[in-house]
Amino acid sequence: ASESIRKDYDRKCHQLRHQFAKDQGTQVIDKTRAVVKDLHSRITVAIYSVDSISKRIEKMRDEELYPQLLELTDGLVRMWKAMLECHHAQYITISLAYHSRNTTGTMQGDARREIITRLLEEIELFGLSFANWINSHTSYVEALNGWLQHCILQPRERSRSRRPFSPRRALAPPIFVLCRDWCAGIKSLPSEELSDAIRNFLSDLHTLMEQENDELLKKQNSTQASMLESEVKANEDNGGESANLSCMHASLSKVLDRLTKFSEASLKMYEDIRQKSEVARTAYYNCKTIRA
């Protein structure tokens, strides 16, 4: 509506200048001038309304949204500290458990297949949940940062020499710095490396499950073997089982290693965001004090 009024105003101003130039009658000019004054008044009211709304939005942005984002990032710092400790402990536990393994007590048959199936389901769910979490987190931060860009008055024509808006260089409110760093930081996290490790572990689990099913099928179709054949088969099974355990251990260790590194990178990212946001906040309010 305001854009339509602006266009009408420009058109009537052009018409009024044309009427003056053609020295048209006073009555015609006065009528057009009255319309121009009315449109100008309406534009002034619209500008005042927009300015008033903008100030309320800025107040909510800086006094309500920004503190909530600080609280959220503080919580994420605490969360990733705990996650880092947890995943590091898991990595050590898996390493120790593998090196101190006892193959004589390894489960066989249905119990073993049930454990593998359950593990497969849990890892698939974990991989899906992680991917969804990353996507949702990224979308949330990008939406925040994108919304903030609407608070910036950009020139209609951007020259080639003009640099893009920088919240630090422009001493913008600290929420701009926080969201810009957050948006850049989350894209630099090693999420793809972790996803690859999860997929590789799932692939190894699927392979192991197929081997278990093949072994079950062979046992169901085979006839009773001699004692010697049974002993040879048992030795072969132990050798194959050892190889499977080694492969599984390597894949799982990789997942836990990537989880640890992802947690470490996330913790560092949020600590940096918090620190840089505080620096930006101090600089911004010091600048406001000087200008005041």
Side-chain angles (χ1 to χ4, degrees), residues 210-228:
E210 289 173 1
Q211 291 175 354
E212 290 290 325
N213 291 333
D214 290 343
E215 188 64 27
L216 177 63
L217 187 61
K218 288 179 182 179
K219 287 182 179 179
Q220 290 175 345
N221 295 333
S222 64
T223 58
Q224 186 174 5
S226 64
M227 183 66 68
L228 179 59

Side-chain angles (χ1 to χ4, degrees), residues 17 55 70 94 133 141 150 162 180 221 275:
R17 287 192 295 270
K55 287 180 179 178
L70 287 179
I94 288 297
W133 181 82
V141 177
H150 293 298
R162 185 185 296 274
R180 174 68 66 87
N221 295 333
Q275 180 184 7

Side-chain angles (χ1 to χ4, degrees), residues 118-130:
R118 180 68 181 275
L119 179 60
L120 187 60
E121 292 173 352
E122 292 296 332
I123 296 299
E124 284 179 341
L125 180 60
F126 170 67
L128 181 62
S129 298
F130 176 74

Side-chain angles (χ1 to χ4, degrees), residues 1-6 42:
S2 58
E3 185 64 24
S4 176
I5 295 173
R6 169 70 69 177
R42 292 169 65 184

Side-chain angles (χ1 to χ4, degrees), residues 22-70:
K22 294 295 184 179
D23 196 20
Q24 295 184 1
T26 304
Q27 186 176 1
V28 174
I29 292 175
D30 287 345
K31 183 178 179 180
T32 305
R33 183 187 287 116
V35 174
V36 169
K37 286 183 178 180
D38 177 66
L39 290 171
H40 183 270
S41 298
R42 292 169 65 184
I43 290 174
T44 302
V45 171
I47 291 174
Y48 176 80
S49 298
V50 169
D51 184 62
S52 177
I53 293 171
S54 296
K55 287 180 179 178
R56 289 203 299 270
I57 292 174
E58 289 173 0
K59 183 179 177 66
M60 292 177 62
R61 179 196 68 198
D62 297 336
E63 297 182 10
E64 296 184 31
L65 178 59
Y66 178 59
Q68 290 179 18
L69 291 178
L70 287 179

